[in-house]
């Protein structure tokens, strides 16, 4: 009985998982900060389920997928930071 309750509790917790929090924590592990986070909105004429920009002081070896979001682009801003763009289209 305890095992069944534990399995049900784990299933409920995973259903309420917060992708935004997981993404922020993954970026911080790399030494970067999330500068923009958009959910269910248009950015540059595209409807995104989730869209994020991550700023890093130094170039990083970023994963192709981070917490379900796909790597889209990398650029450098005027501060000299590297901006990595991730997104998941609707």
């Amino acid at each position: 009985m305890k095992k069944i309750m534990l399995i049900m509790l784990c299933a409920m917790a995973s259903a309420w998982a917060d992708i935004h929090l997981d993404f922020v924590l993954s970026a911080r592990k790399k030494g970067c900060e999330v500068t923009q986070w958009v959910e269910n909105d248009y950015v540059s004429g595209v409807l995104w389920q989730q869209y994020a920009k991550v700023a890093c002081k130094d170039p990083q070896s970023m994963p192709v997928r981070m917490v379900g979001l796909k790597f889209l682009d990398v650029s450098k801003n005027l501060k000299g930071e590297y901006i990595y763009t991730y997104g998941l289209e609707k």
Side-chain angles (χ1 to χ4, degrees):
M1 185 69 171
K2 288 182 183 180
K3 288 182 182 180
I4 294 173
M5 292 299 288
L6 184 61
I7 291 171
M8 289 176 56
L9 180 63
C10 289
M12 287 174 42
S14 66
W16 290 327
D18 186 14
I19 191 168
H20 179 243
L21 179 62
D22 292 343
F23 191 85
V24 170
L25 292 175
S26 296
R28 285 188 182 161
K29 285 181 186 175
K30 292 281 191 177
C32 306
E33 291 294 322
V34 175
T35 58
Q36 183 181 8
W37 180 265
V38 175
E39 285 192 34
N40 299 320
D41 203 3
Y42 288 93
V43 176
S44 301
V46 178
L47 179 61
W48 296 99
Q49 187 171 350
Q50 283 101 12
Y51 178 85
K53 289 198 177 218
V54 179
C56 303
K57 293 181 181 179
D58 299 316
Q60 298 287 329
S61 174
M62 299 296 271
V64 175
R65 286 200 169 269
M66 189 177 344
V67 192
L69 276 70
K70 184 179 172 186
F71 173 77
L72 301 172
D73 188 31
V74 63
S75 60
K76 196 171 181 180
N77 66 9
L78 294 175
K79 294 180 186 176
E81 297 174 327
Y82 291 86
I83 306 298
Y84 297 91
T85 306
Y86 283 86
L88 179 63
E89 284 188 57
K90 252 190 171 182

